[in-house]
Amino acid sequence: MLVHPIALALLPSLTLALPLVCWSAQGLAQGAPTSQPSPTTAAPPAKPDDAAGKDAPKGGGPQGAAAQPADTSPADTSDDADTPGAALARKAEQAPDGAGDANDQPDAEPPPATYTVDFHPAPGVEADDGLMDVLRSASSLITLQNDPPSSLLGLEKRIDNDYDKLAAALRSEGYFDGSVMVKVDADAKPVAVVIEVTPRQRYTISKITLTQTDGSPPPGGPLDLGKLHLKPGDAARGPAIRDAEAAVTPLMATRGYARAKVGQRDLAVDVQAHTMAVAFTLDPGPLVRFGPTTFTGLGRVDPEVAYGRLPWKPGDVYDPAKVDTARNKLTDLGVFSQVRVVLDDVPGEAQPDGSREVPMLGQMEERDRHFINTGLTYGTTDGGAATATWGDRNFLGGAEALTVTGSLGGVGRKKFRNSDGLDYSLGSTLKKPDFLETDTTLNLSALAISEHPEAYSRDAITLGAIVTHPLMPHLTGSAGVTLEQSSIEQDLTGNGVLTTTDNTLVGLPVTLKFDNTDNLLNPTQGYRWNAGLTPYLSPLGDSGTFIIGNAGASGYWALDDAKAYVFAARVNLGAVFGGSLAQVPADKRFFAGGGGSVRGYAYQKVGPLDVNNDPTGGRSLIETSAELRIRLTDTIGLVPFIDGGNVFESAYPDLSQGMRWGAGLGVRYFTSFGPLRLDVGVPLDRRSGDSMWQLYVSIGQSF
């Protein structure tokens, strides 16, 4: 059974005379011996401070004796009545010292007062499961049952303490007329305790008001009380009322009154209508303006970088949204493990208009400056690959991120004609934040690569300079220039004859990217899409001038609240415009097949093949995938999937040529840094030369 946190009493100002009726059974508890019935005792009537008096509810609450509901019917409500625990007290007094000790040792400690608890609604009464969970959590008899008291007197005290706790829990949940009956069989071994609950009708909220002490609305006009998440008709629960009160301060902060608070909370109960009216009295405090900002914990980071990320100027009216923006912008620098931006706890400097300019505090903790990452992937056809990255998060003191990455791939892959079959690369990137203006990032890159997939063999050096800038929430744009010098051995005509071309290419990539998903490596909701266009100019070399366009989108939909079932789908399109296939270097053509494409087929093996059954690539591409991601446990998941796609020699996808489809099942092992992926796919349109199945291992979901 799920146990909720212990309920608290609503408020001292909401104390009511509860019909808390409690007595012990007369030896009738299940299993109790009938020949020796326990004495009958009854709980005393409601305490004096529960009756109408100095804490009596306002607005039609119970007055004096009228606060006692008419159906109160305890077995004995005389002043001499005992609580059920009194039976235990008498039982303890009657027991001789050392009673129950197996060896009758006079100095031996008595055994603990073990007991059983039967906690349920009264016969014929229906009670909400959530209420019963709250009451069980509030009951010491339940929560401490595995730690019994050392004596019957201790059990008596525990039972008596439960009265107030259960009454407070009932009030906190809005059951002001509710009652609890306790039955105790002191002769049973262990002692039998029965708790029966009669909640009766639940009170609801009738009205909510929020005004200043003089009755006027808050500065700036009435607040939208719907944002308090409490409305007329809701249950009159103490936690909900406290949450509504706590929501007032952040609402007023959006108007610049960052130190507003509820000075008084008045609750008026109408016991005949079973309703409660809630009135909050607001102390708005002064209008707050941003003062000077002081940063701590910057270490090697240039303070000007941090100051440049603040979206306000001293004197601006305080806005919590700007504070959140500053926190996110500072976090996005990647050099801080913790970022906290808050108002200083000082009155601030008074301004002529009555507002106060309050200093801001930025408290940061820097991440380790250097890091090393490694990665492994494996595919049945394209073999294994390993990468290692060394990085410096603050290379020049301005939060510049420098990375150097080396990789070795094609391990275990069959050799490609006269190559050794292995791929090598060594590259470096430098990211400079706030380039020319805030939020604009300059990305410089250099890469030396020698790769030998089945489609071609390529040796190249590339340089790039790309600028990215956020255009709106979740949407970024980028543009830049690349320079590439390559030597490629490929089959230009499809007749199996290899030709070596030398290419000098200048690229001008422009890209838009949108991503509002909730996780980079394991998204469960949201969308991603991208669109790019890259013209390539060839001032020297054997290739021509051409333009590559590509677009892709993926979506993620959680099918249940726990996000244990997630449906994911994607589609990718690509096209090369200008120039024939022979004028497009092999590494710029489109290929499909493999772990990140159409699973079930070998790497690059979906699309046109030459006479040697080697892929030649094409000028257009279409790919699509669908998965159902099932999380079986916290660490294990299953993913049935289906992929489809094809590559075409024409500049536009020719769907008359059909699609190649693959399907399979994947296993996911979830870690703190992302899921480990193992997929097994089979081709549904198997051709001569295609393997019966393919295995893929990597980090992260397939898309």
mmCIF file of all heavy atoms in Angstrom, residues 4 128-135 173:
data_model
loop_
_atom_site.group_PDB
_atom_site.id
_atom_site.type_symbol
_atom_site.label_atom_id
_atom_site.label_comp_id
_atom_site.label_asym_id
_atom_site.label_seq_id
_atom_site.Cartn_x
_atom_site.Cartn_y
_atom_site.Cartn_z
ATOM 1 N N HIS A 4 1.096 7.944 2.160
ATOM 2 C CA HIS A 4 1.341 9.353 1.933
ATOM 3 C C HIS A 4 2.002 9.966 3.148
ATOM 4 O O HIS A 4 1.966 9.420 4.248
ATOM 5 C CB HIS A 4 0.031 10.082 1.643
ATOM 6 C CG HIS A 4 -0.608 9.614 0.382
ATOM 7 N ND1 HIS A 4 -0.025 9.812 -0.840
ATOM 8 C CD2 HIS A 4 -1.774 8.955 0.152
ATOM 9 C CE1 HIS A 4 -0.806 9.297 -1.775
ATOM 10 N NE2 HIS A 4 -1.858 8.782 -1.196
ATOM 11 N N ASP A 128 -12.792 7.190 1.490
ATOM 12 C CA ASP A 128 -11.856 7.297 0.381
ATOM 13 C C ASP A 128 -10.522 6.642 0.742
ATOM 14 O O ASP A 128 -10.008 6.820 1.854
ATOM 15 C CB ASP A 128 -11.644 8.773 0.041
ATOM 16 C CG ASP A 128 -10.654 8.956 -1.086
ATOM 17 O OD1 ASP A 128 -11.031 8.717 -2.246
ATOM 18 O OD2 ASP A 128 -9.506 9.326 -0.803
ATOM 19 N N ASP A 129 -9.963 5.879 -0.202
ATOM 20 C CA ASP A 129 -8.694 5.205 0.065
ATOM 21 C C ASP A 129 -7.595 6.204 0.397
ATOM 22 O O ASP A 129 -6.731 5.942 1.242
ATOM 23 C CB ASP A 129 -8.276 4.360 -1.142
ATOM 24 C CG ASP A 129 -9.145 3.125 -1.309
ATOM 25 O OD1 ASP A 129 -9.828 2.755 -0.331
ATOM 26 O OD2 ASP A 129 -9.149 2.549 -2.413
ATOM 27 N N GLY A 130 -7.613 7.365 -0.276
ATOM 28 C CA GLY A 130 -6.603 8.376 0.016
ATOM 29 C C GLY A 130 -6.692 8.873 1.442
ATOM 30 O O GLY A 130 -5.674 9.080 2.111
ATOM 31 N N LEU A 131 -7.926 9.066 1.947
ATOM 32 C CA LEU A 131 -8.101 9.500 3.334
ATOM 33 C C LEU A 131 -7.591 8.437 4.289
ATOM 34 O O LEU A 131 -6.898 8.745 5.270
ATOM 35 C CB LEU A 131 -9.577 9.794 3.612
ATOM 36 C CG LEU A 131 -9.926 10.054 5.086
ATOM 37 C CD1 LEU A 131 -9.223 11.311 5.581
ATOM 38 C CD2 LEU A 131 -11.435 10.135 5.281
ATOM 39 N N MET A 132 -7.906 7.183 4.030
ATOM 40 C CA MET A 132 -7.455 6.121 4.922
ATOM 41 C C MET A 132 -5.927 6.036 4.925
ATOM 42 O O MET A 132 -5.316 5.787 5.968
ATOM 43 C CB MET A 132 -8.065 4.784 4.494
ATOM 44 C CG MET A 132 -9.594 4.742 4.589
ATOM 45 S SD MET A 132 -10.202 5.126 6.253
ATOM 46 C CE MET A 132 -9.557 3.731 7.166
ATOM 47 N N ASP A 133 -5.281 6.278 3.775
ATOM 48 C CA ASP A 133 -3.823 6.278 3.733
ATOM 49 C C ASP A 133 -3.252 7.405 4.592
ATOM 50 O O ASP A 133 -2.258 7.227 5.303
ATOM 51 C CB ASP A 133 -3.335 6.415 2.294
ATOM 52 C CG ASP A 133 -3.546 5.152 1.484
ATOM 53 O OD1 ASP A 133 -3.750 4.088 2.106
ATOM 54 O OD2 ASP A 133 -3.513 5.224 0.240
ATOM 55 N N VAL A 134 -3.878 8.600 4.518
ATOM 56 C CA VAL A 134 -3.418 9.729 5.320
ATOM 57 C C VAL A 134 -3.566 9.420 6.804
ATOM 58 O O VAL A 134 -2.669 9.687 7.615
ATOM 59 C CB VAL A 134 -4.196 11.011 4.948
ATOM 60 C CG1 VAL A 134 -3.917 12.133 5.953
ATOM 61 C CG2 VAL A 134 -3.831 11.471 3.550
ATOM 62 N N LEU A 135 -4.710 8.845 7.196
ATOM 63 C CA LEU A 135 -4.938 8.526 8.602
ATOM 64 C C LEU A 135 -3.970 7.455 9.092
ATOM 65 O O LEU A 135 -3.462 7.523 10.220
ATOM 66 C CB LEU A 135 -6.383 8.085 8.808
ATOM 67 C CG LEU A 135 -7.452 9.163 8.567
ATOM 68 C CD1 LEU A 135 -8.852 8.567 8.678
ATOM 69 C CD2 LEU A 135 -7.296 10.306 9.554
ATOM 70 N N GLU A 173 -7.904 17.094 6.194
ATOM 71 C CA GLU A 173 -8.469 16.613 4.939
ATOM 72 C C GLU A 173 -9.892 17.127 4.701
ATOM 73 O O GLU A 173 -10.535 16.733 3.729
ATOM 74 C CB GLU A 173 -8.458 15.086 4.914
ATOM 75 C CG GLU A 173 -7.068 14.495 4.814
ATOM 76 C CD GLU A 173 -6.364 14.918 3.542
ATOM 77 O OE1 GLU A 173 -6.918 14.692 2.446
ATOM 78 O OE2 GLU A 173 -5.271 15.513 3.643
#
